[in-house]
Amino acid sequence: MRKLAVGVLITLLVATIADFASAAYAEYRYSTALREASDLEFDPEITISGFPFVDQAAGDTYDQIGITARGADLGDGRRGDLRSKLSDVRRAEGKWVIGQNTELTAAKATASLKIDSVNLGRFLGIVDLTVTTPAPEDKAGGGGPGDGILSTSTGVILTGTVNVSDPRNSGHSSGQRREKVSVAVDLSVREGALHIDARNLYSGPAEHVESDVPPGAESMVLAQFTKTLPVLPLPWSLPAVEAASQGSDVVLEAEPAPLVATARDFWEGPSRSGRTLR
């Protein structure tokens, strides 16, 4: 009886290892297909959900496929992370290994682009930019899980060094200087593009710097934090409809939608489209 039990355990262990190995191979092959088809510099991280994997591979549907492509080129040295999740994915001809030309039909596809503070600063021309998701009014902190806010589109705190001129010394070169300031901004999407609208200088409880902005210079400071970025490509060419901060990043998200596509449709960055994103 003991030998039988040991034999069963060994069989189950071998089957489990083989299942994970098969899943890892399928994930690797799809990652390679996406990188080559979309001209990405780095292999995307692929997660095919569901156990046992071999049961899904034997059919023509995967429950869910998660995709994260880090460091996608947004032009002029700026980068972002692409994310997508495909649900109830039917594979053409039941091919369990997804290649560049394998057509996938997903009942729902999500798409987002995450831009960290460094790369957002490159768009704004502010080299030391930081992003802070604000905490609730009755708590100090930077908007982490303990503060109760993980994401917001209003009152986001941007901090960075910008030009400041004292209107009282407009005729003198000494009136111009560099000052590190914190401002509160609202994030939105206008015709598929991220719009950043600086509302006011910030001096509240969230992480910020105390700055010395002369009277009358506030509008000049806010203008340097206000900008509409170019339309940035999201996975599967889905248009961005929402923008929000998440911790120290800004995320553009598309409306979830059904999808019929191949790996070649995953992402059309500047290198493929020929666009210059300035």
Side-chain angles (χ1 to χ4, degrees):
M1 181 63 70
R2 180 178 297 177
K3 290 183 178 180
L4 177 60
V6 171
V8 171
L9 288 175
I10 292 175
T11 301
L12 291 175
L13 179 61
V14 170
T16 300
I17 293 174
D19 191 80
F20 278 107
S22 298
Y25 179 73
E27 292 167 350
Y28 163 74
R29 287 289 300 274
Y30 190 33
S31 174
T32 300
L34 287 173
R35 176 177 57 78
E36 294 176 350
S38 297
D39 198 22
L40 297 167
E41 293 185 35
F42 309 103
D43 291 339
E45 300 166 15
I46 305 297
T47 302
I48 300 178
S49 303
F51 181 82
F53 171 81
V54 292
D55 286 353
Q56 297 186 80
D60 61 0
T61 301
Y62 285 140
D63 291 343
Q64 191 173 89
I65 302 177
I67 306 169
T68 300
R70 303 186 189 277
D73 181 15
L74 300 179
D76 287 347
R78 300 166 299 207
R79 296 186 179 275
D81 293 348
L82 308 169
R83 286 184 167 84
S84 178
K85 186 178 292 182
L86 307 180
S87 301
D88 191 15
V89 186
R90 183 172 295 275
R91 311 181 307 273
E93 302 175 3
K95 295 180 178 179
W96 73 280
V97 173
I98 304 172
Q100 291 191 34
N101 299 312
T102 305
E103 185 176 271
L104 302 179
T105 301
K108 183 175 74 172
T110 66
S112 66
L113 169 65
K114 184 181 78 171
I115 308 172
D116 65 21
S117 56
V118 172
N119 286 284
L120 184 63
R122 290 170 179 163
F123 278 107
L124 295 176
I126 303 174
V127 297
D128 60 345
L129 185 78
T130 60
V131 178
T132 302
T133 300
E137 293 182 0
D138 59 342
K139 294 184 180 180
D147 300 321
I149 293 182
L150 297 176
S151 177
T152 186
S153 59
T154 60
V156 180
I157 312 306
L158 300 186
T159 299
T161 302
V162 295
N163 295 321
V164 177
S165 293
D166 190 337
R168 297 168 297 184
N169 298 319
S170 58
H172 303 280
S173 58
S174 59
Q176 177 91 17
R177 69 176 190 274
R178 301 280 289 170
E179 182 85 18
K180 192 168 187 177
V181 300
S182 293
V183 302
V185 307
D186 292 341
L187 306 175
S188 60
V189 173
R190 297 184 177 181
E191 298 182 349
L194 171 64
H195 177 71
I196 305 170
D197 184 20
R199 298 186 330 202
N200 53 263
L201 298 176
Y202 182 80
S203 59
E207 182 179 350
H208 69 285
V209 298
E210 296 290 346
S211 56
D212 182 20
V213 176
E218 181 174 333
S219 60
M220 173 189 181
V221 170
L222 296 180
Q224 295 173 79
F225 288 91
T226 298
K227 186 173 184 177
T228 300
L229 273 59
V231 176
L232 301 174
L234 270 61
W236 313 115
S237 297
L238 294 175
V241 296
E242 295 181 351
S245 67
Q246 292 183 7
S248 59
D249 306 310
V250 170
V251 178
L252 292 170
E253 293 190 355
E255 190 77 28
L259 178 73
V260 179
T262 69
R264 298 181 183 277
D265 303 312
F266 174 64
W267 189 63
E268 190 175 87
S271 60
R272 292 184 63 200
S273 65
R275 292 183 297 164
T276 301
L277 303 177
R278 299 194 179 278

